[in-house]
């Protein structure tokens, strides 16, 4: 089964509203999680690196005040798209790197969250 | 500069035939890892195969093998005995450094279509 769970898998919202996407590691701890965005027919582009207990590191061109990342525990990181607009419609995917235990170093992807902003 | 280059936007292969998906990479870090992922229409990223920069032998995982040519900086994926279910997007990715705390950088992908 999936070891990284992303929720919701699909979300439709009105322009101007905020949407929260959760990325949860189910059977391992992850001090580092990565958030990617994938526009239709394009590749995955790194948005930010989420570190447990500290501020996220954002890639150039990604607005940190618009894409709020919180990594408050070793198993959960959240991405909040604030004041979403149609151009934010995309597929958002998280990945988590296992730390400790038998899976140290392995990288796992969530199932992705498809955001549609009307 | 592109760190991962996949020059084939789309590929067709006959069922049961083998197919090679090209990937070249660019890095000055002596320690790196190369990955291939399959992404079906559902969007999930399915890990296929991994090659470390210090690995002496080419990686193999079932029907997947990675043709690693370090001097040429290429890491082509070979799928043998193609199946209809292999139709999907395929992404080559690289992670630089030893620690594994760095993110994967992805190529633009190749859409593989397996025809009966």
């Amino acid at each position: 089964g999936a070891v990284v769970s992303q929720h919701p898998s699909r979300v439709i919202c009105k322009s101007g509203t905020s949407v929260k996407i959760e990325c949860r590691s189910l059977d391992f701890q992850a001090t580092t999680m990565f958030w990617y965005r994938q526009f239709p027919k394009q590749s995955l582009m790194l948005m930010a690196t989420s570190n447990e207990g500290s501020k996220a590191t954002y890639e150039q061109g990604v607005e940190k005040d618009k894409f709020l990342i919180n990594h408050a525990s070793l198993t959960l990181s959240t991405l909040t798209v604030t004041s979403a607009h149609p151009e934010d419609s995309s597929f958002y995917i998280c990945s988590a790197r296992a730390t400790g235990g038998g899976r140290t170093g392995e990288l796992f992807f969530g199932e992705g969250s498809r955001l549609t902003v009307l | 500069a592109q760190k991962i280059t996949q020059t084939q936007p789309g590929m067709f292969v006959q069922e049961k035939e083998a197919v090679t998906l090209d990937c070249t990479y660019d890095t000055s870090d002596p320690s790196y890892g190369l990955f291939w992922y399959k992404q079906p229409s559902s969007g999930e990223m399915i890990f296929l195969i991994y090659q470390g920069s210090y690995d002496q032998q080419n990686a193999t995982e079932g029907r997947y093998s990675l043709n690693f040519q370090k001097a040429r900086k290429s890491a082509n994926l070979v799928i043998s005995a193609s199946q209809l279910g292999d139709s999907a997007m395929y992404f080559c990715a690289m992670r630089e450094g030893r620690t594994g705390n760095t993110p994967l950088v992805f190529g633009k992908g190749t859409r593989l279509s397996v025809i009966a």
Side-chain angles (χ1 to χ4, degrees):
Chain A
V3 292
V4 174
S5 175
Q6 239 182 283
H7 178 80
S9 57
R10 289 181 180 271
V11 58
I12 301 172
C13 70
K14 291 182 179 179
S15 185
T17 59
S18 295
V19 174
K20 180 186 283 189
I21 301 169
E22 292 187 348
C23 179
R24 195 179 297 272
S25 58
L26 298 182
D27 56 358
F28 64 92
Q29 294 182 335
T31 55
T32 304
M33 292 186 177
F34 304 102
W35 285 96
Y36 292 86
R37 179 169 54 184
Q38 185 181 28
F39 290 110
K41 298 186 178 181
Q42 293 190 23
S43 186
L44 281 74
M45 298 299 294
L46 180 69
M47 297 177 67
T49 300
S50 168
N51 298 296
E52 187 269 335
S54 64
K55 291 183 178 180
T57 304
Y58 290 81
E59 294 299 299
Q60 192 172 9
V62 178
E63 300 174 57
K64 62 180 181 181
D65 294 330
K66 181 170 182 61
F67 299 99
L68 301 178
I69 291 173
N70 187 299
H71 193 158
S73 79
L74 286 172
T75 59
L76 176 65
S77 176
T78 60
L79 168 68
T80 301
V81 184
T82 62
S83 186
H85 287 96
E87 58 265 29
D88 299 323
S89 298
S90 187
F91 191 59
Y92 294 86
I93 310 177
C94 70
S95 69
R97 179 178 173 270
T99 51
R103 285 179 143 164
T104 297
E106 286 191 63
L107 191 66
F108 301 95
F109 279 86
E111 308 99 321
S113 300
R114 192 167 303 280
L115 171 64
T116 302
V117 185
L118 302 177
Chain B
Q2 290 262 352
K3 284 188 174 282
I4 295 286
T5 302
Q6 293 181 254
T7 57
Q8 305 154 315
M11 288 283 285
F12 287 89
V13 63
Q14 198 79 34
E15 194 178 9
K16 300 180 185 177
E17 297 292 311
V19 63
T20 298
L21 306 184
D22 294 342
C23 174
T24 57
Y25 60 92
D26 183 28
T27 181
S28 57
D29 195 322
S31 298
Y32 53 90
L34 298 159
F35 300 75
W36 277 93
Y37 285 87
K38 172 184 178 181
Q39 188 182 42
S41 56
S42 60
E44 62 181 313
M45 296 295 286
I46 301 170
F47 167 76
L48 297 178
I49 198 165
Y50 168 81
Q51 181 87 41
S53 59
Y54 296 113
D55 293 343
Q56 295 294 318
Q57 293 188 329
N58 287 346
T60 60
E61 289 284 350
R63 294 188 297 112
Y64 305 106
S65 60
L66 198 150
N67 185 357
F68 182 44
Q69 297 191 36
K70 198 169 183 177
R72 293 185 176 184
K73 293 189 174 179
S74 75
N76 298 341
L77 175 71
V78 181
I79 305 174
S80 62
S82 297
Q83 302 171 357
L84 294 177
D86 294 335
S87 296
M89 280 293 290
Y90 288 80
F91 290 98
C92 179
M94 176 175 65
R95 181 176 64 201
E96 294 173 293
R98 281 185 176 274
T99 64
N101 281 332
T102 53
L104 297 186
V105 176
F106 288 86
K108 293 187 175 182
T110 296
R111 180 168 296 282
L112 177 66
S113 299
V114 181
I115 50 180

